Amino acid sequence: MNFNINLNGAQELGNYMKPGLYSMKIKNFEAKQSKNGHPQFAITFIHKEEGEFVHYANADMEHNYARDWLYTFLSVLGLKGNNMQFKFTERDLIGKPINIELERKFNDYTDKWVTNLKRFWKFDGTAVYEKY
């Protein structure tokens, strides 16, 4: 039997993090621009067994959701603001532990499966590690 299969865009298993719950550390936090020129933060999370996951967060502080998301993220990591004014460098975030949940979804716009950050919460000292 002959097979003719288009595997365009396929990845080897293990080249992306599996959906699940993870206790991770912040490896990097940087300000960038998206392909379309919009401001974003590239946040790299690292897990000692599963590898890295990069989340691109909206950094346009004109949008309420972006402001609320960043405020919650920094608060969960333990950074304190002074009257909602946060001053920090990437060094203040690197190495901080955090719990995250990743989900796998099909993106209709790109016609690809992607792993997304579904939620995050404070690391309380008890590591979570559960792949779906």
Side-chain angles (χ1 to χ4, degrees):
M1 176 177 275
N2 292 326
F3 294 94
N4 185 8
I5 302 171
N6 181 355
L7 297 177
N8 188 23
Q11 301 179 49
E12 278 187 50
L13 292 178
N15 285 353
Y16 61 89
M17 288 197 62
K18 308 286 187 278
L21 306 172
Y22 300 94
S23 292
M24 304 184 82
K25 289 190 175 181
I26 306 294
K27 180 180 178 184
N28 197 19
F29 185 93
E30 63 181 311
K32 304 180 102 175
Q33 281 194 345
S34 70
K35 294 176 201 171
N36 299 332
H38 300 291
Q40 66 182 10
F41 294 118
I43 306 164
T44 305
F45 300 93
I46 189 163
H47 188 273
K48 62 183 176 183
E49 295 170 11
E50 294 298 317
E52 296 180 1
F53 173 75
V54 180
H55 174 68
Y56 297 95
N58 184 348
D60 185 353
M61 295 301 115
E62 301 275 324
H63 292 83
N64 289 338
Y65 179 79
R67 259 194 329 269
D68 295 346
W69 189 94
L70 187 59
Y71 172 75
T72 305
F73 183 75
L74 295 175
S75 297
V76 163
L77 290 174
L79 266 66
K80 303 287 185 221
N82 183 10
N83 288 332
M84 301 303 278
Q85 182 69 35
F86 285 81
K87 291 187 179 189
F88 63 95
T89 69
E90 66 277 355
R91 287 189 203 149
D92 296 324
L93 299 179
I94 292 174
K96 296 263 188 188
I98 189 169
N99 292 326
I100 67 172
E101 181 176 1
L102 300 178
E103 68 178 351
R104 195 95 170 123
K105 279 186 158 182
F106 188 76
N107 184 325
D108 292 326
Y109 182 71
T110 62
D111 286 333
K112 293 182 182 179
W113 284 93
V114 293
T115 302
N116 291 325
L117 178 65
K118 182 177 180 181
R119 66 185 177 112
F120 58 86
W121 67 99
K122 186 175 182 157
F123 179 77
D124 64 2
T126 305
V128 293
Y129 177 55
E130 177 185 338
K131 290 192 281 189
Y132 298 151

